[in-house]
């Protein structure tokens, strides 16, 4: 399989989590394309780790729906699965709504400022049609509340399902639609600052539900 030209991307001491994130990100950003075969030896050379963390990373990626394996025959990057993306969207929206409810009672002024800063970067990236930067800023915006919730279970669920949505966005859209998300983020911030947990949670869910029309634009044949 072709792999990125860089070598030793992951320090040997960082092992499986970093190997997982590196392969996951390469799948999400399209470097490793749907249907592409994944060879352990190539991944080992690219990441600079042993086979064990690579195999553990691939097992986790299979659970997340990003990799498909037939033991003894092949491992490939999973085709885009619209049904899986719809399921991931439902779960992700619910988890972010929960994050708001759990974070809000102790949300600090510094955390609100971090949300504003992330949304400013998000708006700037949209103006520049920089999809990777917009997605990163959106992750940072919502990540403030996820971190503030201090709920490890919630974070683990999002770690599993968010990449499915981000991959679909990067693969199918040259620029982000739904630019109203900037205003929706501002509304979430305002409601958080006012201490309105129910309102902020509802606004957060509505923001994540803007992905539904994007999924509806995909032809049924894209679902594997």
């Amino acid at each position: 399989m072709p792999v990125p030209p860089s070598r030793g991307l992951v320090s040997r001491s960082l092992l499986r989590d970093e190997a997982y994130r590196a392969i996951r990100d390469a799948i999400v950003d399209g470097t490793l394309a749907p249907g592409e075969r994944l060879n352990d030896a190539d991944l080992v050379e690219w990441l600079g780790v042993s086979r064990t963390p690579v195999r553990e990373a691939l097992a986790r990626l299979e659970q997340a729906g990003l990799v498909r394996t037939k033991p003894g025959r092949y491992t490939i990057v999973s085709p885009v699965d619209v049904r899986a993306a719809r399921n991931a969207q439902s779960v992700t929206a619910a988890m972010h709504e929960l994050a708001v409810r759990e974070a809000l009672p102790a949300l600090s002024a510094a955390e609100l400022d971090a949300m504003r800063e992330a949304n400013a970067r998000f708006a700037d990236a949209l103006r520049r049609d920089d999809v990777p930067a917009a997605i990163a800023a959106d992750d940072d915006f919502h990540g403030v509340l996820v971190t503030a919730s201090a709920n490890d279970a919630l974070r683990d669920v999002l770690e599993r399902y968010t990449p499915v949505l981000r991959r679909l966005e990067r693969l199918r859209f040259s620029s982000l639609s739904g630019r109203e998300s900037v205003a929706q983020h501002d509304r979430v911030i305002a409601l958080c600052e006012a201490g309105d947990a129910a309102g902020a949670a509802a606004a957060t869910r509505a923001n994540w539900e803007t992905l539904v029309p994007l999924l509806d634009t995909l032809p049924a044949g894209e679902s594997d």
Side-chain angles (χ1 to χ4, degrees), residues 16-31:
R16 63 183 182 185
D17 287 344
E18 286 69 22
Y20 165 78
R21 292 189 184 100
I23 301 170
R24 177 201 65 190
D25 291 348
I27 292 172
V28 169
D29 69 19
T31 300

Side-chain angles (χ1 to χ4, degrees), residues 102-186:
E102 296 197 352
L104 193 54
L107 200 65
S108 69
E111 287 164 329
L112 288 168
D113 286 342
M115 292 170 68
R116 293 188 183 95
E117 188 275 334
N119 198 32
R121 285 190 284 111
F122 179 64
D124 179 65
L126 288 176
R127 284 191 295 268
R128 294 183 287 105
D129 289 327
D130 187 340
V131 176
I135 289 174
D138 189 51
D139 281 341
D140 290 343
F141 173 83
H142 292 287
V144 173
L145 293 164
V146 171
T147 300
S149 75
N151 186 326
D152 290 340
L154 184 155
R155 188 181 298 111
D156 288 345
V157 171
L158 289 174
E159 175 80 9
R160 174 171 177 176
Y161 289 106
T162 301
V164 176
L165 301 179
R166 296 316 194 194
R167 179 194 188 206
L168 197 63
E169 289 173 349
R170 289 176 184 263
L171 285 171
R172 299 303 181 199
F173 304 100
S174 59
S175 64
L176 289 179
S177 60
R179 292 172 187 261
E180 69 273 12
S181 284
V182 176
Q184 290 177 334
H185 288 174
D186 283 336

Side-chain angles (χ1 to χ4, degrees), residues 41-218:
D42 289 338
L43 294 173
V44 164
E45 182 182 3
W46 170 42
L47 299 173
V49 298
S50 68
R51 286 179 181 268
T52 298
V54 165
R55 288 173 176 169
E56 290 174 344
L58 292 175
R60 288 178 64 187
L61 290 164
E62 185 170 21
Q63 290 180 337
L66 296 175
V67 161
R68 184 175 298 172
T69 300
K70 189 157 189 178
R73 294 188 60 188
Y74 61 77
T75 299
I76 64 170
V77 178
S78 295
V80 174
D81 186 334
V82 178
R83 181 185 300 174
R86 291 185 187 280
N87 292 340
Q89 185 277 328
S90 297
V91 171
T92 299
M95 290 299 99
H96 281 288
E97 182 178 9
L98 178 61
V100 173
R101 293 183 182 277
E102 296 197 352
L104 193 54
L107 200 65
S108 69
E111 287 164 329
L112 288 168
D113 286 342
M115 292 170 68
R116 293 188 183 95
E117 188 275 334
N119 198 32
R121 285 190 284 111
F122 179 64
D124 179 65
L126 288 176
R127 284 191 295 268
R128 294 183 287 105
D129 289 327
D130 187 340
V131 176
I135 289 174
D138 189 51
D139 281 341
D140 290 343
F141 173 83
H142 292 287
V144 173
L145 293 164
V146 171
T147 300
S149 75
N151 186 326
D152 290 340
L154 184 155
R155 188 181 298 111
D156 288 345
V157 171
L158 289 174
E159 175 80 9
R160 174 171 177 176
Y161 289 106
T162 301
V164 176
L165 301 179
R166 296 316 194 194
R167 179 194 188 206
L168 197 63
E169 289 173 349
R170 289 176 184 263
L171 285 171
R172 299 303 181 199
F173 304 100
S174 59
S175 64
L176 289 179
S177 60
R179 292 172 187 261
E180 69 273 12
S181 284
V182 176
Q184 290 177 334
H185 288 174
D186 283 336
R187 177 166 173 74
V188 171
I189 294 168
L191 290 166
C192 286
E193 191 168 30
D196 184 350
T204 298
R205 175 178 280 277
N207 180 232
W208 280 95
E209 288 177 347
T210 59
L211 291 174
V212 173
L214 301 183
L215 296 172
D216 290 341
T217 65
L218 294 174

